Amino acid sequence: MRSRVAVAMLDDHHALGKNLVLCSLRIAGLPVRDLGTLSARDIADIVRDENIELLLISTLMLRSALRVKDLVSYLQADDIQTRVYVGGAPFRLDPELWKKVNAHGMGENSTEAVALVRAWMDEHHE
């Protein structure tokens, strides 16, 4: 069965945060797909094609963080109900940024990512 949870970096090439989240989720035994580093349109296409229901986006640069808004717009235009959660330095520096880019929420670290995915899985009886 394919994971309905995925982690990606959005137009950013600083993978430490994403890799920490990915490792933490895998160590916790949670099924997760690593989408790597992609553009907003490419991520939206994969989310649609693979029925990803929970997407965690990691960014280091503000420029990349602001592109989350484009990603969410693409998903909404395609009537995709995927939950998008964000994390990374720009979101820690501006705790309201996740709202400005229309994400569903944010996590401060990989521990919060694990808790978020577990809560989502419990809600969806995974």
Side-chain angles (χ1 to χ4, degrees):
M1 178 176 103
R2 237 176 235 253
S3 175
R4 298 181 338 182
V5 178
V7 176
M9 285 185 351
L10 182 56
D11 288 332
D12 208 329
H13 298 283
H14 304 278
L16 181 60
K18 178 192 70 85
N19 289 339
L20 286 170
V21 168
L22 190 61
C23 287
S24 294
L25 292 169
R26 287 182 173 163
I27 287 169
L30 299 169
V32 61
R33 171 119 192 274
D34 180 2
L35 301 183
T37 301
L38 298 166
S39 69
R41 180 73 259 174
D42 289 341
I43 292 172
D45 289 344
I46 291 171
V47 165
R48 181 195 62 237
D49 294 346
E50 298 190 13
N51 195 29
I52 302 293
E53 295 183 45
L54 178 61
L55 179 64
L56 307 178
I57 297 290
S58 175
T59 65
L60 179 65
M61 307 303 291
L62 178 60
R63 170 187 56 82
S64 300
L66 295 174
R67 290 202 175 114
V68 171
K69 192 170 190 172
D70 296 332
L71 170 61
V72 173
S73 292
Y74 292 140
L75 295 173
Q76 290 172 340
D78 290 343
D79 197 31
I80 298 168
Q81 303 300 313
T82 299
R83 305 289 292 179
V84 177
Y85 287 84
V86 294
F91 298 102
R92 284 192 307 277
L93 293 172
D94 179 355
E96 298 297 307
L97 182 59
W98 68 272
K99 295 175 187 175
K100 296 173 189 171
V101 298
N102 299 327
H104 294 95
M106 72 163 272
E108 296 234 355
N109 53 50
S110 62
T111 301
E112 287 186 15
V114 169
L116 183 134
V117 171
R118 278 191 174 139
W120 181 84
M121 292 180 97
D122 287 346
E123 182 179 316
H124 290 84
H125 309 293
E126 292 287 308

